């Protein structure tokens, strides 16, 4: 009598195929996956700004660390504080690892802090590859401005530049008005920090807040070298050693109430994942792990770090898994604090 537990040759062969599909992809297959392909890196910011500088530096080295060494093609897709690029990645881009995006932290925080914002993507659903920098932001003014220190900004009416919703130059500008009592007017509509810098040089505006310190040094090194600018305030959860040596005060010097402090801490917590890179939801585990591992390897690559030093950008990375955890945690903050943070950055 035939044993009912015995598989037929055809069934046995099918079970082997099913088992093989469940096993991790061996290195050779991982190399084959991306070999001969290109990966589009969408930059959610206009050319010439800090996010563009960082993303293009990553693109120059990232492909070497991905098995199969695909070509990384950088493409600018600005709009809605990077939410346009993130939305494309979430809904339209192929979910096979051949399209990723570099986005601003404001795009991640936008759905949490701006209840009127169009929901272009769900920040908790995309897959984070990592962040290249967790940084400090600053307020600056032209040397000729009557705003020489942040204390002056508490009493003087001037114009400070900003971009749009989800951009730190706009959101932080209003945050300082609501939580610290700054008196400047926030003039929005600029395309990015590169255009804000030109507007400052033309004397159209006096300064800006929410400018990433690393980007500022990379974009306008002559402003610091030739003392063309006043650095008014540093904004970060922890003091920046370089700015502290320069005598630049912390934002928390001007935030006096416990409630305002919680609001500021929530808003600026996004700086922990300052330069985030994402892949689509639904990407298979194997290519996602490959992209994450390659990102981590790039962040410690000597050629990449030498390049970063040459173009004056700071590298202080976090892994994609860690960024994913931080974003999930942010979206569990008590609703009353979220509501007050929304009010603080709303015109």
């Amino acid at each position: 009598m035939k044993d009912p537990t015995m598989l037929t040759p055809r069934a046995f062969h099918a079970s082997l195929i099913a088992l093989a599909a469940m096993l991790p992809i061996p290195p050779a297959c991982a190399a084959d996956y991306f070999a001969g392909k290109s990966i589009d890196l969408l930059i959610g910011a206009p050319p010439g700004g800090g996010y563009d500088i960082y993303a293009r530096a990553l693109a120059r080295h990232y492909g070497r660390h991905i098995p199969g060494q695909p070509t990384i093609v950088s493409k600018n897709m600005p709009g809605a504080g990077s939410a346009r690029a993130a939305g494309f990645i979430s809904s339209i881009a192929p979910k096979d690892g051949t399209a990723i995006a570099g986005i601003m932290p404001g795009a991640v925080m936008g759905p949490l802090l701006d209840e009127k914002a169009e929901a272009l993507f769900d920040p908790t659903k995309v897959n984070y590859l990592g962040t290249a920098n967790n940084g400090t932001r600053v307020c600056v003014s032209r040397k000729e401005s009557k705003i020489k220190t942040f204390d002056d900004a508490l009493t003087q009416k001037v114009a400070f530049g900003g971009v749009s919703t989800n951009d730190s130059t706009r959101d932080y500008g209003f945050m300082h008005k609501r939580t610290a009592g700054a008196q400047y007017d926030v003039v929005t509509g600029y395309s990015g920090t590169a255009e804000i810098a030109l507007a400052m040089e033309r004397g159209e505006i006096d300064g800006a807040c929410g400018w990433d310190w690393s980007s500022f040094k990379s974009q306008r090194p002559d402003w610091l070298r030739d003392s063309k600018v006043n650095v008014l305030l540093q904004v970060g959860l922890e003091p920046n050693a370089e700015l502290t040596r320069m005598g630049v005060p912390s934002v928390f010097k001007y935030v006096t109430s416990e409630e305002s402090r919680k609001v500021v801490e929530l808003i600026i917590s996004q700086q922990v994942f300052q330069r985030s890179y994402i892949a689509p939801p639904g990407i298979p585990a194997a290519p996602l792990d490959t992209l994450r591992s390659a990102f981590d390897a790039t962040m410690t690559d000597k050629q990449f770090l030498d390049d970063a030093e040459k173009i004056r950008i700071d590298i202080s990375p976090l892994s994609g898994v860690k960024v994913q955890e931080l974003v999930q945690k942010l979206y569990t903050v008590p609703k009353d604090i979220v509501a007050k943070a929304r009010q603080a950055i709303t015109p």
Side-chain angles (χ1 to χ4, degrees), residues 130-177:
T131 181
N133 180 237
N134 61 90
T136 301
R137 288 171 173 165
V138 292
C139 291
V140 298
S141 67
R142 295 183 297 116
K143 199 67 177 179
E144 301 80 10
S145 172
K146 58 187 177 182
I147 304 296
K148 307 294 185 185
T149 67
F150 194 75
D151 289 288
D152 295 333
L154 303 181
T155 60
Q156 303 281 353
K157 278 277 190 182
V158 294
F160 271 37
V163 180
S164 61
T165 303
N166 294 341
D167 189 274
S168 60
T169 54
R170 181 263 203 187
D171 292 353
Y172 283 37
F174 285 111
M175 177 185 74
H176 296 314
K177 288 173 67 68

XYZ file of all heavy atoms in Angstrom, residues 130-177:
366
model
N 17.975 55.490 5.366
C 18.909 56.082 6.307
C 18.915 57.584 6.165
O 18.236 58.155 5.305
N 19.659 58.244 7.032
C 19.832 59.687 6.936
C 21.321 59.998 6.988
O 22.069 59.357 7.733
C 19.082 60.438 8.050
O 19.270 61.854 7.897
C 19.574 60.046 9.436
N 21.746 60.949 6.197
C 23.170 61.282 6.116
C 23.611 62.234 7.215
O 24.800 62.363 7.478
C 23.488 61.897 4.749
N 22.654 62.906 7.829
C 23.039 63.950 8.778
C 21.921 64.182 9.777
O 20.745 64.164 9.422
C 23.354 65.242 8.012
C 23.770 66.397 8.914
O 23.155 67.438 8.887
N 24.804 66.208 9.709
N 22.262 64.349 11.033
C 21.308 64.887 11.996
C 21.935 66.158 12.524
O 23.001 66.147 13.118
C 20.970 63.880 13.095
C 22.155 63.445 13.917
O 22.488 64.048 14.923
N 22.809 62.352 13.492
N 21.320 67.267 12.214
C 22.034 68.526 12.334
C 21.387 69.595 13.181
O 20.391 69.384 13.869
N 21.993 70.757 13.089
C 21.561 71.958 13.784
C 21.136 72.986 12.751
O 21.736 73.077 11.678
C 22.712 72.527 14.635
O 23.139 71.533 15.574
C 22.289 73.780 15.383
N 20.112 73.754 13.061
C 19.675 74.832 12.187
C 19.953 76.176 12.846
O 20.107 76.253 14.068
C 18.194 74.668 11.844
C 17.974 73.499 10.893
C 16.528 73.167 10.685
N 16.376 72.155 9.636
C 15.281 71.455 9.426
N 14.216 71.648 10.170
N 15.227 70.566 8.461
N 20.001 77.209 12.029
C 20.377 78.525 12.546
C 19.446 79.606 12.004
O 18.781 79.433 10.985
C 21.836 78.881 12.170
C 22.820 77.979 12.890
C 22.054 78.816 10.652
N 19.435 80.721 12.725
C 18.890 81.974 12.216
C 20.076 82.862 11.873
O 21.042 82.944 12.640
C 18.032 82.678 13.265
S 16.472 81.874 13.658
N 20.019 83.521 10.725
C 21.101 84.412 10.301
C 20.517 85.716 9.785
O 19.356 85.780 9.390
C 21.968 83.769 9.189
C 22.643 82.502 9.686
C 21.123 83.473 7.952
N 21.349 86.749 9.794
C 20.953 88.037 9.203
C 22.137 88.640 8.461
O 23.292 88.299 8.733
C 20.467 89.010 10.283
O 21.533 89.398 11.140
N 21.835 89.545 7.529
C 22.895 90.267 6.813
C 23.684 91.114 7.796
O 23.154 91.617 8.781
C 22.297 91.192 5.751
C 21.583 90.495 4.624
C 21.100 91.512 3.592
N 20.119 92.428 4.147
C 20.280 93.739 4.285
N 21.406 94.314 3.905
N 19.316 94.487 4.779
N 24.960 91.300 7.518
C 25.800 92.101 8.410
C 25.254 93.515 8.540
O 25.334 94.124 9.609
C 27.236 92.134 7.870
C 28.270 92.520 8.917
C 28.356 91.430 9.973
C 29.439 91.750 11.023
N 29.507 90.691 12.053
N 24.654 94.032 7.449
C 24.153 95.409 7.451
C 22.808 95.554 8.172
O 22.336 96.661 8.403
C 23.987 95.909 6.011
C 25.265 95.896 5.173
C 25.595 94.515 4.616
O 24.724 93.613 4.719
O 26.721 94.333 4.119
N 22.174 94.438 8.510
C 20.850 94.493 9.132
C 20.916 95.113 10.519
O 21.936 95.028 11.212
C 20.268 93.083 9.229
O 19.076 93.077 9.986
N 19.811 95.718 10.925
C 19.738 96.222 12.296
C 19.538 95.085 13.298
O 19.638 95.286 14.507
C 18.615 97.245 12.436
C 17.230 96.757 12.057
C 16.235 97.910 12.085
C 14.846 97.466 11.640
N 13.880 98.597 11.622
N 19.286 93.882 12.792
C 19.220 92.682 13.637
C 20.618 92.081 13.711
O 21.070 91.402 12.790
C 18.231 91.646 13.061
C 16.849 92.254 12.862
C 18.143 90.420 13.966
C 16.163 92.702 14.133
N 21.325 92.377 14.793
C 22.687 91.862 14.983
C 22.716 90.621 15.872
O 23.636 89.805 15.778
C 23.574 92.936 15.631
C 23.577 94.276 14.919
C 24.213 94.190 13.554
C 24.313 95.571 12.914
N 24.820 95.504 11.510
N 21.721 90.503 16.750
C 21.599 89.368 17.651
C 20.138 88.944 17.683
O 19.254 89.683 17.228
C 22.030 89.729 19.087
O 21.091 90.677 19.628
C 23.428 90.340 19.106
N 19.873 87.757 18.242
C 18.473 87.332 18.311
C 17.683 88.209 19.269
O 16.472 88.389 19.105
C 18.365 85.868 18.728
C 16.991 85.298 18.483
C 16.578 84.968 17.202
C 16.099 85.112 19.539
C 15.303 84.469 16.963
C 14.833 84.605 19.305
C 14.429 84.285 18.017
N 18.356 88.800 20.263
C 17.666 89.745 21.150
C 17.110 90.924 20.350
O 16.025 91.429 20.659
C 18.622 90.241 22.241
C 18.937 89.167 23.264
O 18.048 88.842 24.080
O 20.060 88.633 23.246
N 17.831 91.352 19.318
C 17.327 92.432 18.460
C 16.051 91.999 17.740
O 15.148 92.807 17.512
C 18.384 92.833 17.423
C 19.622 93.447 18.037
O 19.519 94.026 19.135
O 20.692 93.337 17.420
N 15.987 90.717 17.380
C 14.803 90.210 16.672
C 13.559 90.219 17.548
O 12.438 90.137 17.041
C 15.070 88.795 16.165
N 13.746 90.333 18.850
C 12.607 90.379 19.765
C 11.969 91.763 19.815
O 10.856 91.909 20.333
C 13.045 89.972 21.186
C 13.704 88.595 21.333
C 14.057 88.328 22.784
C 12.808 87.490 20.788
N 12.643 92.746 19.258
C 12.120 94.122 19.341
C 12.038 94.841 18.003
O 11.370 95.864 17.898
C 13.006 94.970 20.281
O 14.355 94.996 19.771
C 13.028 94.386 21.690
N 12.708 94.309 16.968
C 12.797 95.017 15.691
C 11.934 94.339 14.618
O 11.884 93.117 14.534
C 14.253 95.046 15.201
C 15.225 95.670 16.185
C 15.190 97.182 16.164
O 14.532 97.774 15.315
N 15.886 97.821 17.086
N 11.283 95.151 13.792
C 10.487 94.648 12.672
C 11.333 94.652 11.397
O 11.717 95.714 10.917
C 9.254 95.531 12.465
C 8.103 95.214 13.392
C 7.293 94.049 12.851
C 5.997 93.872 13.641
N 5.225 92.721 13.143
N 11.622 93.474 10.893
C 12.338 93.338 9.615
C 11.695 92.181 8.854
O 10.770 91.533 9.347
C 13.846 93.071 9.818
C 14.538 94.257 10.461
C 14.057 91.803 10.633
N 12.183 91.907 7.644
C 11.656 90.804 6.835
C 12.651 89.646 6.826
O 13.830 89.839 6.520
C 11.389 91.271 5.409
N 12.165 88.459 7.165
C 12.952 87.231 7.078
C 12.330 86.348 6.006
O 11.110 86.260 5.898
C 12.971 86.493 8.424
C 14.097 86.911 9.341
C 14.507 88.231 9.409
C 14.731 85.992 10.147
C 15.533 88.627 10.247
C 15.759 86.363 10.996
C 16.169 87.688 11.044
N 13.179 85.677 5.219
C 12.693 84.874 4.105
C 12.294 83.464 4.500
O 12.808 82.909 5.469
N 11.349 82.905 3.731
C 10.913 81.530 3.939
C 10.485 80.923 2.620
O 10.255 81.638 1.640
N 10.351 79.611 2.594
C 9.964 78.915 1.368
C 8.465 78.645 1.396
O 7.664 79.478 0.986
C 10.787 77.624 1.172
C 10.375 76.905 -0.113
C 12.283 77.970 1.093
N 8.058 77.493 1.888
C 6.638 77.134 1.879
C 6.368 76.151 3.004
O 7.268 75.806 3.787
C 6.258 76.506 0.533
O 7.008 75.317 0.313
N 5.128 75.694 3.097
C 4.742 74.701 4.092
C 5.675 73.500 4.031
O 6.069 73.054 2.960
C 3.306 74.231 3.830
O 2.446 75.365 3.851
C 2.849 73.247 4.901
N 6.028 72.991 5.209
C 6.925 71.832 5.379
C 8.392 72.186 5.227
O 9.246 71.332 5.433
C 6.604 70.683 4.415
C 5.259 70.054 4.668
O 4.697 70.199 5.748
N 4.733 69.359 3.672
N 8.706 73.435 4.871
C 10.107 73.843 4.777
C 10.496 74.542 6.074
O 9.753 75.378 6.593
C 10.325 74.792 3.596
C 11.803 75.048 3.354
O 12.353 75.958 3.993
O 12.394 74.329 2.535
N 11.672 74.220 6.593
C 12.069 74.744 7.897
C 12.211 76.263 7.904
O 11.984 76.897 8.946
C 13.385 74.093 8.343
O 14.423 74.360 7.424
N 12.580 76.876 6.772
C 12.725 78.338 6.769
C 11.392 79.024 7.025
O 11.347 80.093 7.633
C 13.291 78.826 5.430
O 12.471 78.334 4.363
C 14.716 78.355 5.237
N 10.320 78.406 6.588
C 8.988 78.948 6.851
C 8.504 78.548 8.247
O 8.103 79.370 9.063
C 8.026 78.474 5.764
C 6.597 78.982 5.901
C 5.753 77.936 6.572
N 4.346 78.070 6.277
C 3.406 77.351 6.868
N 3.729 76.449 7.777
N 2.137 77.518 6.544
N 8.561 77.222 8.539
C 8.015 76.720 9.803
C 8.774 77.250 11.012
O 8.171 77.651 12.014
C 8.035 75.191 9.801
C 7.054 74.592 8.801
O 6.265 75.355 8.213
O 7.085 73.363 8.600
N 10.112 77.263 10.942
C 10.892 77.739 12.077
C 10.746 79.246 12.249
O 10.779 79.760 13.371
C 12.366 77.365 11.914
C 12.691 75.929 12.221
C 11.807 74.901 11.887
C 13.881 75.572 12.824
C 12.097 73.578 12.146
C 14.190 74.252 13.096
C 13.298 73.252 12.754
O 13.592 71.938 13.021
N 10.602 79.949 11.121
C 10.378 81.389 11.218
C 9.173 81.707 12.079
O 9.230 82.556 12.985
N 8.055 81.006 11.828
C 6.855 81.226 12.626
C 6.994 80.644 14.028
O 6.470 81.206 15.001
C 5.633 80.635 11.918
C 5.165 81.464 10.757
C 5.305 81.012 9.452
C 4.602 82.719 10.962
C 4.892 81.782 8.378
C 4.184 83.497 9.897
C 4.324 83.035 8.601
N 7.695 79.516 14.167
C 7.888 78.921 15.492
C 8.566 79.900 16.444
O 8.150 80.050 17.608
C 8.730 77.652 15.375
C 9.048 76.987 16.716
S 10.162 75.559 16.549
C 11.732 76.402 16.211
N 9.599 80.607 15.968
C 10.294 81.557 16.831
C 9.404 82.750 17.179
O 9.513 83.312 18.278
C 11.586 82.033 16.165
C 12.591 80.943 15.956
N 12.923 80.032 16.925
C 13.332 80.598 14.860
C 13.820 79.188 16.455
N 14.082 79.510 15.208
N 8.524 83.138 16.275
C 7.585 84.219 16.575
C 6.613 83.809 17.688
O 6.321 84.581 18.589
C 6.794 84.605 15.315
C 7.597 85.360 14.273
C 6.818 85.574 12.995
C 5.636 86.511 13.171
N 6.040 87.906 13.448
